[in-house]
Amino acid sequence: MIDILHFLAAPFAASLLLVAILGYFGLHVLLRGVIFVDLALAQIAALGAVVAMVFGHQPASVASFSFALAATLLGAAIFSWSRVRRGRVPQEAIIGITYVVASAATLLIADRAPEGAEHVRELLSGTVLWVTWTQVVKDLLVFAAVGLFHYRFRHRFLRISERPDSAFEAGINVRWWDFLFYASFGLVIAWAVEVGGVLMVFAYLVAPAIIALTVSDSWPARLALAWAVGGFASAFGLLASYRWDLPTGPAVVTSLGALLVLFAAWRRVRK
């Protein structure tokens, strides 16, 4: 048992860091009604990483992260530009087609790259089980910097997420603040995809936030609940992955899905 805990300590710490930052962003994403923006940015980051591999850069290298970050910043610019107060085309449609195009481009490029299919599989499922403490410290520094930035400007970000019409009426440059939001979000996504994979990142963003927003109207309570849900699912998924030799990312995602089903059943029974 001691050996298992020792082996899973670093992966679990990395998972908790992902839960902390992605749980926060997930609340914003659901409040903004752009559910697939996280999946789209994650897929764009994966596209950047695949392009880096075609140019001969190793996965999880500085060059690979740079390509992924550049791609997500481009996606951030597109999504912030597409935000209008009233428009005929909903922003979710633009996000959806961006995701589809990024996915198709990833498959096309990976098809021409050596071991491209294997790399795409790793980008989907992640490599969190093999994370080292050095990587955990790097994750902590990056996520803490983004967290401090959002705390400093929390009133602007919260107002635009919760009351966008009020932000427009107050004369706030919503597109500029949207770009800062999506750019910082893209930085987190590009970093997180290298560790957790696309599936795990999307699940961490959406599943805990659904439960938290359903239960509470208070931001501190929402964050605490989202972090608790994500932490529990991470622990169960990592243990299941180690015990039965399962892919870690899908195991954690399935755990989060099971928690959502149980939560929905509990709400049904209460009513």
Side-chain angles (χ1 to χ4, degrees), residues 39-51 64-65 67-69 71-72 102 106 123 186 189-191 193-194 198:
L39 189 58
L41 283 176
Q43 189 59 54
I44 291 171
L47 172 60
V50 171
V51 171
S64 176
F65 171 72
F67 273 78
L69 179 59
T72 53
T106 300
L123 286 172
I189 291 294
W191 193 272
V193 164
E194 293 281 349
V198 173

Short mmCIF file of all heavy atoms in Angstrom, two decimals, residues 39-51 64-65 67-69 71-72 102 106 123 186 189-191 193-194 198:
data_model
loop_
_atom_site.label_atom_id
_atom_site.label_comp_id
_atom_site.label_asym_id
_atom_site.label_seq_id
_atom_site.Cartn_x
_atom_site.Cartn_y
_atom_site.Cartn_z
N LEU A 39 -13.12 22.66 -24.90
CA LEU A 39 -12.78 21.54 -25.77
C LEU A 39 -12.12 22.05 -27.06
O LEU A 39 -11.16 21.44 -27.56
CB LEU A 39 -14.04 20.75 -26.11
CG LEU A 39 -13.85 19.41 -26.84
CD1 LEU A 39 -12.96 18.48 -26.04
CD2 LEU A 39 -15.19 18.76 -27.12
N ALA A 40 -12.61 23.18 -27.57
CA ALA A 40 -12.03 23.75 -28.78
C ALA A 40 -10.59 24.20 -28.54
O ALA A 40 -9.68 23.91 -29.34
CB ALA A 40 -12.88 24.92 -29.27
N LEU A 41 -10.35 24.90 -27.43
CA LEU A 41 -8.99 25.36 -27.13
C LEU A 41 -8.06 24.18 -26.86
O LEU A 41 -6.89 24.21 -27.25
CB LEU A 41 -9.00 26.30 -25.93
CG LEU A 41 -9.48 27.73 -26.19
CD1 LEU A 41 -9.54 28.53 -24.90
CD2 LEU A 41 -8.58 28.43 -27.20
N ALA A 42 -8.58 23.15 -26.20
CA ALA A 42 -7.76 21.96 -25.95
C ALA A 42 -7.38 21.28 -27.26
O ALA A 42 -6.23 20.84 -27.45
CB ALA A 42 -8.51 20.98 -25.06
N GLN A 43 -8.32 21.22 -28.20
CA GLN A 43 -8.03 20.61 -29.49
C GLN A 43 -7.07 21.47 -30.31
O GLN A 43 -6.21 20.96 -31.02
CB GLN A 43 -9.32 20.39 -30.27
CG GLN A 43 -9.15 19.56 -31.53
CD GLN A 43 -8.59 18.18 -31.23
OE1 GLN A 43 -9.14 17.44 -30.42
NE2 GLN A 43 -7.49 17.82 -31.87
N ILE A 44 -7.21 22.79 -30.19
CA ILE A 44 -6.27 23.69 -30.87
C ILE A 44 -4.87 23.51 -30.32
O ILE A 44 -3.87 23.51 -31.05
CB ILE A 44 -6.75 25.14 -30.74
CG1 ILE A 44 -8.03 25.36 -31.55
CG2 ILE A 44 -5.68 26.11 -31.21
CD1 ILE A 44 -8.69 26.69 -31.31
N ALA A 45 -4.77 23.37 -28.99
CA ALA A 45 -3.46 23.13 -28.37
C ALA A 45 -2.87 21.81 -28.86
O ALA A 45 -1.67 21.71 -29.14
CB ALA A 45 -3.60 23.11 -26.85
N ALA A 46 -3.72 20.78 -28.98
CA ALA A 46 -3.26 19.50 -29.50
C ALA A 46 -2.77 19.63 -30.94
O ALA A 46 -1.77 19.02 -31.32
CB ALA A 46 -4.39 18.47 -29.41
N LEU A 47 -3.47 20.44 -31.73
CA LEU A 47 -3.04 20.68 -33.10
C LEU A 47 -1.65 21.32 -33.13
O LEU A 47 -0.78 20.92 -33.92
CB LEU A 47 -4.06 21.59 -33.81
CG LEU A 47 -3.67 22.09 -35.20
CD1 LEU A 47 -3.45 20.94 -36.17
CD2 LEU A 47 -4.74 23.05 -35.72
N GLY A 48 -1.43 22.30 -32.26
CA GLY A 48 -0.12 22.93 -32.20
C GLY A 48 0.97 21.95 -31.81
O GLY A 48 2.08 21.97 -32.37
N ALA A 49 0.67 21.05 -30.87
CA ALA A 49 1.66 20.05 -30.45
C ALA A 49 1.98 19.08 -31.58
O ALA A 49 3.13 18.66 -31.75
CB ALA A 49 1.13 19.30 -29.23
N VAL A 50 0.96 18.71 -32.36
CA VAL A 50 1.19 17.80 -33.50
C VAL A 50 2.03 18.49 -34.57
O VAL A 50 2.92 17.87 -35.17
CB VAL A 50 -0.16 17.32 -34.07
CG1 VAL A 50 0.05 16.57 -35.38
CG2 VAL A 50 -0.86 16.41 -33.07
N VAL A 51 1.76 19.75 -34.83
CA VAL A 51 2.58 20.50 -35.79
C VAL A 51 4.03 20.55 -35.32
O VAL A 51 4.97 20.39 -36.13
CB VAL A 51 2.01 21.92 -35.98
CG1 VAL A 51 2.97 22.77 -36.81
CG2 VAL A 51 0.64 21.87 -36.64
N SER A 64 7.47 22.19 -28.24
CA SER A 64 6.12 21.66 -28.39
C SER A 64 5.11 22.53 -27.65
O SER A 64 4.03 22.85 -28.19
CB SER A 64 6.06 20.22 -27.86
OG SER A 64 4.75 19.71 -27.92
N PHE A 65 5.45 22.95 -26.43
CA PHE A 65 4.55 23.82 -25.67
C PHE A 65 4.39 25.17 -26.36
O PHE A 65 3.30 25.74 -26.39
CB PHE A 65 5.09 24.01 -24.26
CG PHE A 65 4.35 25.06 -23.48
CD1 PHE A 65 3.07 24.82 -23.01
CD2 PHE A 65 4.94 26.30 -23.23
CE1 PHE A 65 2.38 25.80 -22.30
CE2 PHE A 65 4.25 27.27 -22.53
CZ PHE A 65 2.97 27.03 -22.06
N PHE A 67 4.54 25.84 -29.58
CA PHE A 67 3.61 25.68 -30.71
C PHE A 67 2.17 25.61 -30.21
O PHE A 67 1.26 26.22 -30.80
CB PHE A 67 3.96 24.41 -31.49
CG PHE A 67 4.99 24.61 -32.56
CD1 PHE A 67 6.33 24.70 -32.24
CD2 PHE A 67 4.64 24.70 -33.90
CE1 PHE A 67 7.29 24.87 -33.22
CE2 PHE A 67 5.58 24.88 -34.90
CZ PHE A 67 6.93 24.97 -34.55
N ALA A 68 1.94 24.83 -29.15
CA ALA A 68 0.59 24.68 -28.61
C ALA A 68 0.08 26.01 -28.07
O ALA A 68 -1.09 26.38 -28.27
CB ALA A 68 0.60 23.63 -27.49
N LEU A 69 0.95 26.77 -27.38
CA LEU A 69 0.54 28.06 -26.84
C LEU A 69 0.23 29.05 -27.95
O LEU A 69 -0.76 29.79 -27.87
CB LEU A 69 1.64 28.61 -25.93
CG LEU A 69 1.36 29.98 -25.30
CD1 LEU A 69 0.10 29.92 -24.45
CD2 LEU A 69 2.55 30.44 -24.45
N ALA A 71 -0.85 28.40 -30.90
CA ALA A 71 -2.13 28.01 -31.50
C ALA A 71 -3.31 28.43 -30.63
O ALA A 71 -4.32 28.94 -31.13
CB ALA A 71 -2.15 26.49 -31.73
N THR A 72 -3.18 28.26 -29.31
CA THR A 72 -4.29 28.62 -28.41
C THR A 72 -4.46 30.13 -28.34
O THR A 72 -5.59 30.62 -28.21
CB THR A 72 -4.06 28.07 -27.00
OG1 THR A 72 -2.77 28.46 -26.53
CG2 THR A 72 -4.16 26.56 -26.98
N ALA A 102 -10.11 22.13 -36.22
CA ALA A 102 -8.86 21.80 -35.51
C ALA A 102 -8.70 20.30 -35.37
O ALA A 102 -7.58 19.76 -35.52
CB ALA A 102 -8.85 22.46 -34.14
N THR A 106 -5.73 18.15 -37.12
CA THR A 106 -4.86 17.31 -36.28
C THR A 106 -4.72 15.92 -36.87
O THR A 106 -3.62 15.37 -36.95
CB THR A 106 -5.43 17.23 -34.85
OG1 THR A 106 -5.51 18.54 -34.29
CG2 THR A 106 -4.54 16.37 -33.96
N LEU A 123 -2.24 12.58 -26.56
CA LEU A 123 -2.84 13.90 -26.36
C LEU A 123 -4.28 13.78 -25.87
O LEU A 123 -4.77 14.65 -25.14
CB LEU A 123 -2.79 14.70 -27.66
CG LEU A 123 -1.42 15.25 -28.07
CD1 LEU A 123 -1.48 15.85 -29.47
CD2 LEU A 123 -0.93 16.29 -27.08
N GLY A 186 -6.13 29.96 -22.49
CA GLY A 186 -5.38 29.19 -23.47
C GLY A 186 -4.02 28.76 -22.94
O GLY A 186 -3.55 27.65 -23.23
N ILE A 189 -4.72 25.83 -20.78
CA ILE A 189 -5.10 24.67 -21.59
C ILE A 189 -3.88 24.06 -22.26
O ILE A 189 -3.68 22.83 -22.24
CB ILE A 189 -6.15 25.08 -22.65
CG1 ILE A 189 -7.48 25.42 -21.99
CG2 ILE A 189 -6.35 23.96 -23.67
CD1 ILE A 189 -8.17 24.27 -21.32
N ALA A 190 -3.04 24.91 -22.87
CA ALA A 190 -1.85 24.40 -23.56
C ALA A 190 -0.94 23.65 -22.59
O ALA A 190 -0.36 22.62 -22.94
CB ALA A 190 -1.09 25.56 -24.21
N TRP A 191 -0.83 24.16 -21.38
CA TRP A 191 0.01 23.50 -20.37
C TRP A 191 -0.65 22.22 -19.87
O TRP A 191 0.00 21.18 -19.71
CB TRP A 191 0.25 24.46 -19.21
CG TRP A 191 1.33 24.02 -18.28
CD1 TRP A 191 1.21 23.21 -17.19
CD2 TRP A 191 2.72 24.35 -18.36
NE1 TRP A 191 2.42 23.02 -16.58
CE2 TRP A 191 3.37 23.71 -17.28
CE3 TRP A 191 3.48 25.12 -19.23
CZ2 TRP A 191 4.73 23.81 -17.04
CZ3 TRP A 191 4.84 25.24 -19.00
CH2 TRP A 191 5.45 24.60 -17.93
N VAL A 193 -2.97 20.26 -21.29
CA VAL A 193 -3.13 19.18 -22.27
C VAL A 193 -1.89 18.31 -22.33
O VAL A 193 -1.97 17.10 -22.51
CB VAL A 193 -3.47 19.77 -23.66
CG1 VAL A 193 -3.27 18.73 -24.76
CG2 VAL A 193 -4.91 20.25 -23.68
N GLU A 194 -0.71 18.90 -22.15
CA GLU A 194 0.53 18.13 -22.17
C GLU A 194 0.57 17.11 -21.04
O GLU A 194 1.21 16.07 -21.13
CB GLU A 194 1.74 19.07 -22.04
CG GLU A 194 1.95 20.00 -23.22
CD GLU A 194 2.62 19.30 -24.40
OE1 GLU A 194 3.10 18.16 -24.21
OE2 GLU A 194 2.65 19.89 -25.49
N VAL A 198 -6.60 15.90 -23.65
CA VAL A 198 -7.80 16.66 -24.02
C VAL A 198 -9.02 16.20 -23.24
O VAL A 198 -9.80 17.02 -22.72
CB VAL A 198 -8.06 16.52 -25.54
CG1 VAL A 198 -9.39 17.17 -25.93
CG2 VAL A 198 -6.91 17.15 -26.34
#
